[in-house]
Amino acid sequence: MISRAGATRIGLRIVAAVPALLGVILFAFIMMRVLPGDPAVYFASGPNAGQAEIDALRHKMGLDQSMPLQFLHYLEGLVRGDLGNSLVTGQTVTQDMRERLPASLELTLTALMFSLVISLPLGVLAAWWAGSMWDQWVRAFCSLCFCVPPFVSGILLVYLFYYMFGLAPDPTGRINIFTPLPHRVTGMLLIDFALAGDWAGWRQAAEQLILPATTMALFVIAPLTRMTRAAMLSVVNSDFIRTARAMGLPTWRIVIVYSLRNALMPVLTTIGIVFSTMMGANVLVEKIFSWPGVASYALDALVASDYAAVQGFILLMAFLFVMVNLVIDLLLSVLDPRVTVE
Amino acid sequence: MTPPILEVEDLRVSFTSPRGVSEVLHGISLSLQRGQILALVGESGSGKSVTGLSVMGLLPRQASITRGCIRFDGREITHRVPRELRGAGMAMVFQNPRAALNPTRRIRNQLADVILAHEKPTAAELHRRLAELMEQVSIADKARCLAAYPHELSGGLCQRIVIAMAIACSPDLIIADEPTTGLDVLTQKAIMDLLLDLTRARGMSMILVTHDLGMAAQYCDDVAVMNKGYIVESGRDPHALFLDPGDAYTRRLVNACPTEQSRLGPQSVSVPPASAAPLLDVRNLVKTYGRDFRAVDDVSFTIGRGESLGLIGESGSGKSTISRLVSRLINPDGGQILFGGQPIGQMPADHFYRTPLRRQIQFVFQDAAGSLNPRFTAFDAIADPIRRLQQGETSELGERVIACARSVGLPEGLLNRYPHQMSGGQCARVGIARAIAVDPQLLILDEPTAALDVLVQAEVLALLERLRREKGMSYLFVSHDLHVVRMLCSRMLILRHGKVVESGSCEEIFRQPRDAYTIDLLSAIPHFRPTGNGA
């Protein structure tokens, strides 16, 4: 478990991530300014705005300063926790992220949970009965899931469950606009409703969540299942499983405690990668289901050349990536006594 | 008379692969009484492990029993071994004990898993049983061992734990499949003595699967010699059987087994004239790791031209470190290495390959197949040192490689094969050919036969001896097998904890060991021939 030395190592890991984050900040900053598009032109009052008006706007936004100077100003703001203002929403980027990140996290985490609930048993059984008919079916199912892009499966799910069967609520956001929101604690509706004890609200939020989460889950079932199967296969053929069988241990114990426990490590690493990919790539799902998350926010900001918003998004993703990897490494060191957090 | 605990009748086992069905056991019959210990001996691939796995019902999926019958305590278990029987009726001890334990589970839980799989003791009772088991397998530091993970324990301790698991539910039969392979000779003796004592004390029966005839003779009542899926010979009293084998294969096996009397040729190992300057002179060699771990501690020795010196020690004694230091793969922290009078100890290891001396000191590694580049054919492997170390002289490369292959007895037709397409013995030959391709004066051999079967080992040893005579090379031969060293070397050096505890001519050390550690080592070797000193 985490000792004092372990805590020091974790601290060092976070410190070690700072240079990488700085690099990400610089890269995002330069990229936004190299890309075509001038936010001043975009946000001037109308297409007929004169040069004077645009120049005034540029001055107000600080865009007439030299690039290094602009960067210094941006860094200075970052130190104070100020990510700048979004021109699209008119709020600070920090405020936008605070509102939208929980929505994206809730969607991604739920989708991840769905896919794990399906892919772990599928992978475990496919490895246990490797080469059997069941193994072939799992393989086929994974291929199918992986070939259908989320924008197709998402629209298909909406068509089936909302339009044809009327089982799902309309795909417009996280919650019916007439439902009173719970007191905000985490920003994730399921958790906040549960904390408030409002189970009717919880049900509504869950219903809204099922289809987008399923859409995202379908896309990552394939890598998770295949990874579970491969990891299980290498464990199932190892010497200590043979020992466990020679000592007459019950089969379920051999599968769960001896095999899966040891196969989880590569799977966990894959989960880390999959999670990061999902966070960035769920823009399609967010668009289809009008989900007010960070990915769709970033896309809108990119189109509008909204420098601060895009940079804020990239920084947030980089930070999340660092944190997810740290958490995964910590979990690995808990799971495997031979691993220590470096 | 009570029925035998195990009866195997005309057992046939086949493996199914995409290329077809191949039978690996062609009608094996065995019978084992209660309290009896049976040795199954043979080379790898002879079917002895498959026999053990068939009895346990642990055959891999692609294998199946096609005919015959297995009865355990009068009960037919040929096609289905009930789960309760495994662990409680019969248990198995495997080779490579560290891999045989679950790496992510504490020893305490793994032992408890076995007991709980068959019985329902209370928590207090379970605790007491675990402590008892640790005592029975002679583990003194109970609490630490029970709380440890397998990677925190030595190989010997891990094997004791596996044995504890095997006896946890008092089975009637233990199948031990090469239980001491990879362990030191002293640990091997301790583990085998433990198995023997437990078997005798509890009235259990045991099948010992081994390739070591000495071990079979020393620990078993009965023996069955296997070759290519048949039992070629079996009988009571392995001593008598090995001393007067009736079957030609047994005779070959017995002759190949290195013993005190084994010799490679008619002449005894030649000793160079004492006056000549030594080829290699190592003085006060030191290598430290970390802050204060001295892997090699003030070691001095010489090797004359055409002489071969044996380096003996258990794992961790520093013998491999010395071989790496002398071959200049790592840097020493003190002392001198003189090669042909030239100090080479101070040349940095990273640059040694550039000196012309690299050619003169070559290395044959332990894992014959693993030390070959899997993407190089045998030809490339042998040609590689010639290309690298003798640039400008590569005009007759092809002829040289072929000549080299011929001198190690490697058929020309094998030269375009890759390592995975060759047998262990063939890979060993390629490794030797690669080392002698640039005509070195000193060859460092790091347990070159450790992974080979006795018959192949005998061939490789004979080859090494012939090459030494023909080419006048000197050998530094690293091994933990005293008999093998005695066959090949005139002098030997016994190491312990990085220090030399004894050195001298092999004859003398075998006749009259002086150090207590050497005496332990010598007496720990299992053997089957009555020897002069009454051991």
Side-chain angles (χ1 to χ4, degrees):
Chain A
M1 289 313 290
I2 299 160
S3 58
R4 202 164 143 201
T8 318
R9 281 203 295 268
I10 294 168
L12 283 176
R13 267 281 297 264
I14 294 176
V15 172
V18 168
L21 288 180
L22 274 176
V24 168
I25 295 169
L26 181 65
F27 173 76
F29 185 88
I30 293 175
M31 192 192 73
M32 281 314 291
R33 275 147 187 83
V34 169
L35 285 177
D38 186 342
V41 176
Y42 190 88
F43 287 103
S45 56
N48 305 327
Q51 190 60 39
E53 191 185 342
I54 291 173
D55 281 345
L57 208 57
R58 288 178 68 94
H59 180 72
K60 195 177 143 220
M61 293 161 73
L63 293 175
D64 54 348
Q65 288 165 331
S66 72
M67 272 238 273
L69 208 59
Q70 286 183 45
F71 187 63
L72 278 182
H73 281 308
Y74 183 66
L75 278 186
E76 192 192 3
L78 279 186
V79 172
R80 288 195 313 266
D82 176 10
L83 289 170
N85 292 312
S86 164
L87 299 173
V88 179
T89 61
Q91 302 191 87
T92 63
V93 174
T94 326
Q95 178 66 25
D96 284 343
M97 291 294 169
R98 224 175 76 85
E99 276 170 17
R100 288 168 163 266
L101 182 63
S104 284
L105 275 180
E106 187 169 40
L107 175 61
T108 310
L109 287 174
T110 313
L112 196 62
M113 228 159 59
F114 280 7
S115 57
L116 282 177
V117 164
I118 294 168
S119 57
L120 281 185
L122 284 187
V124 166
L125 293 178
W128 197 253
W129 296 316
S132 68
M133 212 48 206
W134 165 266
D135 190 17
Q136 304 296 339
W137 277 112
V138 171
R139 194 190 308 265
F141 174 67
C142 285
S143 312
L144 189 72
C145 287
F146 201 62
C147 318
V148 182
F151 56 86
V152 174
S153 53
I155 290 169
L156 210 65
L157 285 175
V158 169
Y159 179 76
L160 282 177
F161 290 99
Y162 169 64
Y163 178 76
M164 277 187 68
F165 304 135
L167 290 172
D170 48 345
T172 51
R174 302 170 78 187
I175 194 91
N176 190 318
I177 46 166
F178 302 113
T179 311
L181 288 179
H183 172 67
R184 183 190 160 106
V185 182
T186 60
M188 296 190 215
L189 288 181
L190 288 186
I191 297 179
D192 286 355
F193 272 123
L195 286 176
D198 179 359
W199 296 107
W202 191 89
R203 226 193 105 113
Q204 262 199 21
E207 278 170 358
Q208 290 284 353
L209 189 56
I210 286 178
L211 281 194
T214 309
T215 310
M216 271 178 81
L218 282 178
F219 194 54
V220 294
I221 277 175
L224 288 175
T225 308
R226 301 312 290 172
M227 196 66 222
T228 309
R229 180 183 179 274
M232 277 293 287
L233 262 189
S234 68
V235 172
V236 162
N237 290 321
S238 62
D239 283 5
F240 64 88
I241 296 297
R242 195 178 54 177
T243 310
R245 299 213 297 146
M247 302 300 172
L249 263 55
T251 308
W252 66 267
R253 188 170 271 275
I254 295 179
V255 174
I256 306 290
V257 182
Y258 279 68
S259 313
L260 182 59
R261 170 75 203 270
N262 282 288
L264 266 187
M265 287 155 232
V267 175
L268 204 59
T269 313
T270 315
I271 289 176
I273 299 166
V274 163
F275 179 80
S276 307
T277 321
M278 280 165 103
M279 278 304 288
N282 61 13
V283 56
L284 288 168
V285 179
E286 288 184 5
K287 282 285 173 204
I288 293 168
F289 293 94
S290 315
W291 199 261
V294 280
S296 56
Y297 171 76
L299 185 67
D300 293 341
L302 190 64
V303 171
S305 295
D306 193 348
Y307 289 176
V310 174
Q311 284 164 206
F313 171 77
I314 292 176
L315 181 58
L316 183 74
M317 284 298 128
F319 182 71
L320 266 179
F321 189 74
V322 169
M323 291 315 286
V324 165
N325 275 308
L326 183 62
V327 168
I328 295 285
D329 282 357
L330 282 177
L331 283 176
L332 280 179
S333 70
V334 171
L335 269 183
D336 188 344
R338 292 163 299 182
V339 173
T340 52
V341 178
E342 295 294 340
Chain B
M1 195 176 145
T2 51
I5 187 77
L6 181 73
E7 268 184 296
V8 177
E9 261 172 43
D10 191 30
L11 182 69
R12 287 168 189 268
V13 172
S14 295
F15 275 72
T16 315
S17 73
R19 268 165 284 150
V21 179
S22 63
E23 195 173 76
V24 294
L25 288 187
H26 317 285
I28 296 288
S29 297
L30 290 171
S31 160
L32 189 66
Q33 297 295 332
R34 276 179 192 280
Q36 198 182 15
I37 302 180
L38 168 75
L40 272 185
V41 298
E43 294 179 86
S44 53
S46 62
K48 54 192 200 303
S49 288
V50 173
T51 308
L53 292 173
S54 311
V55 171
M56 291 294 296
L58 290 177
L59 282 175
R61 206 169 315 193
Q62 59 273 28
S64 59
I65 296 175
T66 49
R67 233 176 73 190
C69 168
I70 304 172
R71 269 190 301 274
F72 179 79
D73 207 6
R75 188 171 165 192
E76 150 111 45
I77 54 165
T78 316
H79 295 288
R80 193 181 160 275
V81 181
R83 184 183 69 74
E84 323 81 73
L85 211 55
R86 289 204 286 256
M90 51 190 182
M92 194 157 179
V93 175
F94 299 94
Q95 55 177 315
N96 195 0
R98 232 190 236 131
L101 293 170
N102 186 343
T104 61
R105 206 160 164 75
R106 289 185 198 277
I107 300 296
R108 178 196 311 284
N109 299 339
Q110 298 198 41
L111 275 169
D113 283 344
V114 177
I115 297 177
L116 293 172
H118 302 283
E119 294 159 46
K120 294 200 169 25
T122 60
E125 208 178 303
L126 183 66
H127 188 76
R128 187 183 53 75
R129 289 269 299 271
L130 291 184
E132 238 174 60
L133 277 175
M134 299 303 269
E135 254 159 49
Q136 279 171 338
V137 295
S138 313
I139 293 180
D141 198 356
K142 280 182 236 168
R144 187 183 76 88
C145 266
L146 282 174
Y149 289 101
H151 72 278
E152 297 165 341
L153 303 176
S154 69
L157 271 179
C158 283
Q159 193 59 296
R160 282 171 200 273
I161 303 284
V162 176
I163 292 173
M165 287 166 80
I167 61 167
C169 294
S170 316
D172 297 311
L173 169 68
I174 284 198
I175 300 177
D177 189 352
E178 308 258 13
T180 59
T181 307
L183 301 177
D184 297 312
V185 76
L186 289 177
T187 317
Q188 162 174 308
K189 182 173 161 45
I191 293 284
M192 284 313 300
D193 287 349
L194 174 70
L195 270 175
L196 184 71
D197 291 346
L198 286 169
T199 316
R200 294 279 186 244
R202 293 166 163 242
M204 294 188 292
S205 315
M206 179 160 77
I207 296 180
L208 177 68
V209 174
T210 182
H211 65 266
D212 188 332
L213 301 187
M215 209 148 87
Q218 201 149 336
Y219 293 98
C220 302
D221 314 316
D222 276 68
V223 64
V225 182
M226 292 190 69
N227 181 28
K228 294 177 179 154
Y230 294 98
I231 291 183
V232 294
E233 192 165 9
S234 66
R236 296 208 70 92
D237 190 6
H239 275 285
L241 192 134
F242 294 151
L243 287 179
D244 184 20
D247 182 82
Y249 177 78
T250 317
R251 204 169 306 128
R252 274 178 63 208
L253 214 55
V254 168
N255 288 336
C257 203
T259 63
E260 279 194 44
Q261 277 78 28
S262 307
R263 290 288 177 276
L264 282 167
Q267 325 94 303
S268 64
V269 183
S270 65
V271 181
S275 57
L279 176 69
L280 182 77
D281 189 353
V282 173
R283 294 178 191 162
N284 312 100
L285 198 60
V286 174
K287 176 76 189 175
T288 49
Y289 286 112
R291 217 170 304 153
D292 47 22
F293 176 65
R294 297 199 131 195
V296 177
D297 194 357
D298 196 19
V299 170
S300 305
F301 60 90
T302 60
I303 301 179
R305 283 175 202 278
E307 190 194 16
S308 69
L309 174 75
L311 208 55
I312 294 268
E314 48 190 309
S315 51
S317 62
K319 55 188 197 305
S320 289
T321 311
I322 291 179
S323 69
R324 295 213 169 100
L325 286 168
V326 169
S327 53
R328 302 300 301 114
L329 293 172
I330 54 176
N331 289 318
D333 293 318
Q336 276 186 309
I337 304 171
L338 299 170
F339 183 78
Q342 210 177 336
I344 59 167
Q346 267 60 50
M347 298 180 189
D350 291 347
H351 301 302
F352 191 74
Y353 71 94
R354 287 196 210 131
T355 70
L357 285 171
R358 175 73 287 167
R359 258 191 60 188
Q360 304 294 346
I361 307 176
Q362 288 290 310
F363 211 112
V364 177
F365 298 93
Q366 179 169 5
D367 181 357
S371 61
L372 295 175
N373 186 332
R375 285 181 184 77
F376 272 17
T377 59
F379 183 93
D380 289 328
I382 301 172
D384 196 40
I386 305 180
R387 286 185 184 129
R388 284 172 193 280
L389 299 173
Q390 292 187 319
Q391 288 139 346
E393 308 171 36
T394 52
S395 48
E396 330 86 12
L397 184 71
E399 284 119 84
R400 285 191 58 184
V401 171
I402 290 169
C404 233
R406 200 170 295 140
S407 71
V408 298
L410 188 73
E412 244 177 82
L414 292 182
L415 279 174
N416 52 13
R417 295 233 186 140
Y418 288 93
H420 70 270
Q421 298 167 319
M422 290 185 284
S423 71
Q426 288 163 346
C427 285
R429 284 173 202 274
V430 174
I432 294 168
R434 174 174 65 175
I436 62 166
V438 288
D439 293 319
Q441 292 183 346
L442 175 64
L443 206 56
I444 291 157
L445 301 136
D446 188 359
E447 309 224 23
T449 60
L452 302 176
D453 280 314
V454 256
L455 290 176
V456 185
Q457 166 173 296
E459 285 171 21
V460 171
L461 289 176
L463 164 70
L464 286 171
E465 176 61 14
R466 178 172 61 77
L467 286 173
R468 190 179 65 83
R469 283 176 196 285
E470 282 175 11
K471 307 208 179 233
M473 286 185 289
S474 305
Y475 287 169
L476 176 62
F477 190 88
V478 178
S479 179
H480 64 263
D481 189 328
L482 287 134
H483 286 316
V484 168
V485 167
R486 185 191 164 105
M487 284 163 75
L488 204 66
C489 304
S490 51
R491 285 189 305 129
M492 66 167 136
L493 217 61
I494 294 170
L495 287 170
R496 191 183 193 195
H497 303 323
K499 284 193 165 74
V500 178
V501 294
E502 187 157 1
S503 64
S505 87
C506 293
E507 298 282 331
E508 234 167 75
I509 289 180
F510 266 79
R511 199 172 345 112
Q512 214 168 36
R514 275 163 301 159
D515 190 83
Y517 179 68
T518 318
I519 297 172
D520 280 351
L521 275 185
L522 284 173
S523 62
I525 310 171
H527 50 79
F528 60 86
R529 288 195 177 172
T531 53
N533 51 16

